[in-house]
């Protein structure tokens, strides 16, 4: 049996335990050169949207069934920014982000070849704006740490664990970041992805 099990895992690609029951999305950090500065494209979600209207996000969206993360991000960039595949290039997948509310985000790094071809989809995007990467490097984001509390079920079987209701459960901390640029506040999941990207640049320059 041991050999059979080892053979089963020969070509196994490890991922995230429990991902099948989690939501997944892909987003893109898209670079574009404007006035000799490399910028990141951000979008403001349409104000009529049911979820997070007016929030600032990166282009991207939900990974559909039988769709891989890169295919999703290409599709979403085309849908939201009105580009075709030849207008941009997705170069590299970045670090995954797993949120405390059960969302796995696949960020990608890429660039837009032809800025003039952008025609935003007003059904999803109110408008876009650009932030020079050098500005983001120099911004010290506001950081707030919050405690994550677990509200356990009334039928939680304390009798099955050592210590029962007095068990020393681990506590978590959630980091919220706020990048303030002109009249925009980049926060939440988007800010965490941006911070990870900017920190990598800082460490390797």
């Amino acid at each position: 049996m041991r050999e059979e099990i080892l053979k089963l895992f020969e070509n196994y690609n490890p991922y995230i335990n429990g991902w099948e029951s989690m939501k997944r999305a892909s987003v893109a950090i898209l670079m574009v050169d404007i006035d000799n500065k490399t910028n990141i494209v951000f979008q403001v979600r349409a104000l009529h949207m049911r979820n997070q209207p007016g929030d600032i996000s990166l282009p991207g969206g939900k990974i559909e069934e039988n769709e891989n993360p890169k295919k999703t991000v290409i599709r979403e960039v085309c849908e939201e920014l009105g580009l075709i595949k030849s207008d941009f290039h997705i170069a590299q997948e970045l670090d995954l982000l797993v949120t405390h509310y059960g969302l796995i985000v696949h960020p990608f790094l890429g660039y837009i070849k032809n800025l003039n071809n952008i025609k935003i989809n007003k059904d999803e995007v109110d408008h876009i704006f650009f932030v020079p990467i050098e500005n983001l490097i120099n911004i010290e984001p506001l950081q707030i740490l919050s405690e994550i509390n677990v509200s356990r079920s009334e039928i939680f079987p304390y009798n099955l664990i050592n210590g029962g209701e007095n068990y020393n459960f681990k506590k978590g901390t959630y980091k919220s970041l706020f990048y303030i640029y002109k009249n925009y506040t980049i926060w939440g999941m988007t800010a965490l992805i941006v911070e990870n990207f900017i920190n990598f640049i800082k460490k390797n320059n």
Side-chain angles (χ1 to χ4, degrees):
M1 186 174 185
R2 178 188 64 192
E3 294 302 323
E4 292 174 359
I5 291 174
L6 289 172
K7 190 168 182 62
L8 282 175
F9 282 87
E10 275 183 352
N11 299 310
Y12 185 73
N13 292 314
Y15 190 41
I16 295 168
N17 189 323
W19 71 269
E20 296 93 341
S21 61
M22 302 173 74
K23 295 180 180 179
R24 300 196 302 154
S26 290
V27 299
I29 291 179
L30 290 177
M31 298 180 290
V32 59
D33 290 333
I34 303 173
D35 297 331
N36 297 317
K37 290 185 177 181
T38 299
N39 293 252
I40 294 177
V41 180
F42 292 94
Q43 55 190 36
V44 178
R45 290 170 60 84
L47 300 178
H48 59 260
M49 295 191 76
R50 183 175 60 182
N51 295 321
Q52 300 170 312
D55 274 5
I56 293 168
S57 67
L58 297 165
K62 177 184 176 183
I63 298 175
E64 302 291 349
E65 191 174 350
N66 299 321
E67 191 177 49
N68 66 53
K70 187 173 183 179
K71 183 177 179 181
T72 295
V73 82
I74 291 172
R75 172 179 58 77
E76 288 286 348
V77 169
C78 291
E79 290 178 3
E80 294 178 344
L81 298 182
L83 299 174
I84 59 175
K85 289 182 181 180
S86 60
D87 290 326
F88 65 97
H89 176 67
I90 299 298
Q92 177 66 46
E93 186 166 10
L94 303 177
D95 290 337
L96 291 173
L97 174 68
V98 182
T99 72
H100 66 290
Y101 47 87
L103 174 65
I104 303 168
V105 185
H106 289 253
F108 288 83
L109 177 63
Y111 59 89
I112 294 177
K113 303 175 187 177
N114 194 336
L115 185 63
N116 294 327
N117 286 351
I118 292 179
K119 297 177 182 177
I120 62 173
N121 178 359
K122 285 290 189 176
D123 288 336
E124 299 185 39
V125 181
D126 185 79
H127 65 279
I128 62 174
F129 64 97
F130 308 95
V131 183
I133 289 178
E134 62 184 49
N135 287 59
L136 290 168
I137 289 173
N138 293 321
I139 293 174
E140 188 65 37
L142 173 64
Q143 177 175 298
I144 303 296
L145 298 179
S146 303
E147 185 176 304
I148 298 174
N149 295 307
V150 176
S151 180
R152 292 183 172 80
S153 169
E154 293 180 358
I155 60 171
F156 187 88
Y158 291 102
N159 60 302
L160 297 180
I161 61 176
N162 292 329
E165 294 187 23
N166 295 318
Y167 186 85
N168 185 21
F169 289 102
K170 301 294 183 183
K171 295 182 179 179
T173 301
Y174 182 75
K175 179 173 70 173
S176 296
L177 292 176
F178 302 82
Y179 284 88
I180 300 171
Y181 175 76
K182 295 185 176 179
N183 294 324
Y184 297 104
T185 300
I186 302 163
W187 74 290
M189 180 184 74
T190 301
L192 293 174
I193 293 169
V194 169
E195 181 200 38
N196 183 262
F197 171 69
I198 294 299
N199 283 347
F200 183 83
I201 294 173
K202 287 180 177 179
K203 290 175 185 176
N204 292 278
N205 263 349

